[in-house]
């Protein structure tokens, strides 16, 4: 496939962006722009900073300014829903949206999709982790945790314990989401100090937003079994504190960039109607060749 270096934004350029607060840390612009450039597509991906006060207007501007779409990050995945015209069945069930695009099929309107669910499952399977029948500890109960919990049910996890700072939020999450035969337990973050919590746990997922500011206080990976996989949804340009600590204790760890890659591949297909160049996007994220 021919490649073309973008030297300017033209009047024809389609704009896609990432809505969040903060957005400076996001690697989505780098990943999508590398893919546009590789395929020679006249698209550009930009950061779109909003606030809780302006998020409604920001979503509306996707329509009024004719953007090709937008991704949504912390802390707006749940908040954007009230400003959209339609939701995919997965986004409706999960109650969180990470991809917004103009839905051309019916009268002009914005549709919300959630590619985090399948992005998470693909990141697990491409790391060689078999989820079916496993016990999982999910730390956090925000927008990303909604997608992860639904994915864990879809992927056949046997049992999930949700540990969250605000226990009521975790309870609400468990009550609202269908998880099939997967059994759900709830606890507060203080329980992370209890060795029994880790009995038979094969996967720990950190879905808190602490990765952006620092590490999850009180979490000790050595309480888990030797083969317990640690998956941090948060990511940076280098491995996060949570993944580094897990690896230091010789626990296998999955980097949040792998989920970013796979949710981004699905979003790219939606924005452009083209098959995403996965290897190009992975390279842009600094992921190793073998993923
Ligand atoms: P939300 O703001 O919706 O939720 C934040 C969660 O973190 C809540 O459970 C909150 O607890 C918890 N939390 C916040 N601060 C602390 C703290 N100091 N100590 C303990 N818990 C805390 O964020 P999202 O769910 O949308 O995103 C969470 C993370 O996942 C972000 O880092 C995001 O970048 C990442 N992410 C990565 C993706 C990827 O592709 N790799 C995809 C999606 C998300 P409480 O309920 O008590 O407030």
């Amino acid at each position: 496939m021919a490649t073309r270096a973008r030297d300017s934004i033209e009047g024809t350029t389609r704009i896609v962006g990432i809505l969040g607060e903060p957005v400076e840390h996001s690697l989505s612009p780098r990943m999508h722009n590398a893919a546009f450039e590789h395929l020679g597509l006249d698209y550009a991906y930009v950061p779109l900073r909003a606030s809780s006060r302006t998020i409604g207007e920001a979503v509306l501007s996707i329509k009024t300014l004719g953007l090709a779409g937008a991704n949504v990050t912390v802390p707006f995945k749940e908040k954007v829903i009230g400003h959209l015209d339609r939701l995919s069945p997965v986004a409706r069930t999960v109650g969180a949206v990470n991809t917004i695009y103009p839905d051309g099929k019916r009268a002009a309107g914005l549709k919300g999709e959630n590619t985090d669910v399948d992005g998470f499952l693909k990141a697990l399977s491409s790391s060689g982790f078999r989820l079916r029948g496993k016990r999982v500890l999910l730390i956090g109960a925000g927008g990303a945790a909604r997608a992860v919990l639904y994915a864990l049910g879809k992927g056949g996890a046997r049992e999930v314990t949700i540990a969250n700072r605000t226990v009521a939020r975790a309870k609400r999450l468990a009550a609202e989401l269908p998880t099939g035969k997967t059994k759900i337990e709830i606890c507060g973050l203080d329980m992370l100090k209890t060795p029994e919590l880790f009995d038979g746990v094969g996967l720990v997922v950190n879905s808190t937003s602490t990765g952006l500011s620092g590490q999850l206080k009180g979490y000790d990976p050595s309480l888990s079994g030797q083969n317990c996989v640690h998956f941090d949804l948060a990511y940076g340009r280098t491995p996060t504190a949570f993944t580094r600590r897990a690896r230091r204790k010789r626990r296998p760890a999955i980097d949040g960039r792998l989920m970013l890659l796979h949710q981004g591949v699905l979003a790219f297909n939606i924005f452009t109607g083209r098959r995403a160049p996965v290897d190009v996007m992975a390279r842009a994220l600094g992921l190793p060749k073998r993923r």
Side-chain angles (χ1 to χ4, degrees):
M1 186 72 66
T3 62
R4 178 173 67 79
R6 168 175 293 288
D7 45 21
S8 67
I9 304 250
E10 305 291 343
T12 50
T13 305
R14 307 290 321 272
I15 300 295
V16 190
I18 179 136
L19 271 172
E21 166 61 8
V23 280
E24 291 83 351
H25 71 286
S26 176
L27 296 176
S28 289
R30 175 189 288 221
M31 170 174 70
H32 284 279
N33 285 323
F36 295 148
E37 190 171 316
H38 178 77
L39 295 179
L41 296 177
D42 189 13
Y43 279 69
Y45 193 109
V46 297
L48 301 170
R49 194 175 190 174
S51 69
S52 296
R53 195 174 47 76
T54 61
I55 186 62
E57 292 161 45
V59 171
L60 193 63
S61 72
I62 298 171
K63 193 156 52 178
T64 49
L65 298 177
L67 272 58
N71 285 123
V72 186
T73 187
V74 185
F76 300 131
K77 290 185 188 210
E78 296 162 82
K79 292 192 181 98
V80 294
I81 287 185
H83 306 286
L84 298 173
D85 301 296
R86 280 180 279 286
L87 295 176
S88 74
V90 173
R92 178 173 300 112
T93 306
V94 168
V97 160
N98 79 328
T99 304
I100 299 175
Y101 61 103
D103 183 13
K105 287 196 192 114
R106 290 197 242 154
L110 291 176
K111 185 164 177 178
E113 179 56 276
N114 189 309
T115 67
D116 282 337
V117 172
D118 286 339
F120 174 77
L121 289 174
K122 181 75 182 167
L124 274 185
S125 62
S126 70
S127 305
F129 183 81
R130 300 174 94 117
L131 178 59
R132 192 155 295 280
K134 296 286 193 318
R135 263 202 83 196
V136 180
L137 172 60
L138 169 60
I139 312 173
R146 299 185 77 83
V148 169
L149 183 61
Y150 181 70
L152 292 171
K154 186 179 172 187
R158 176 165 52 89
E159 193 177 324
V160 179
T161 303
I162 310 171
N164 196 43
R165 183 176 61 178
T166 312
V167 174
R169 192 175 185 188
K171 283 188 181 158
R172 213 163 45 237
L173 174 64
E176 285 171 10
L177 275 186
T179 50
K181 291 184 179 149
T182 307
K183 192 174 159 217
I184 310 292
E185 304 273 351
I186 308 290
C187 66
L189 289 184
D190 50 327
M191 290 300 284
L192 293 179
K193 298 189 188 95
T194 324
E196 296 75 50
L197 188 72
F198 294 85
D199 279 350
V201 168
L203 173 69
V204 176
V205 181
N206 177 26
S207 81
T208 68
S209 48
T210 55
L212 297 178
S213 53
Q215 61 193 37
L216 189 61
K217 288 197 182 76
Y219 181 76
D220 178 3
S222 41
L223 293 181
S224 68
Q226 271 303 328
N227 297 322
C228 179
V229 173
H230 282 62
F231 191 156
D232 194 359
L233 261 50
Y235 63 82
R237 285 161 210 272
T238 52
T240 59
F242 184 82
T243 10
R244 281 202 316 274
R245 275 173 96 186
R247 285 182 182 144
R248 222 178 294 134
K249 300 290 178 187
R250 300 187 188 285
R251 300 319 188 253
I254 302 176
D255 192 301
R257 284 177 291 178
L258 199 54
M259 176 169 168
L260 180 74
L261 170 68
H262 291 296
Q263 63 75 33
V265 161
L266 297 169
F268 184 95
N269 298 342
I270 291 173
F271 296 143
T272 65
R274 297 283 297 268
R275 204 189 176 95
V278 185
D279 288 341
V280 170
M281 293 166 81
R283 209 165 36 242
L285 294 176
L287 286 168
K289 238 189 156 121
R290 290 193 60 190
R291 306 180 294 277

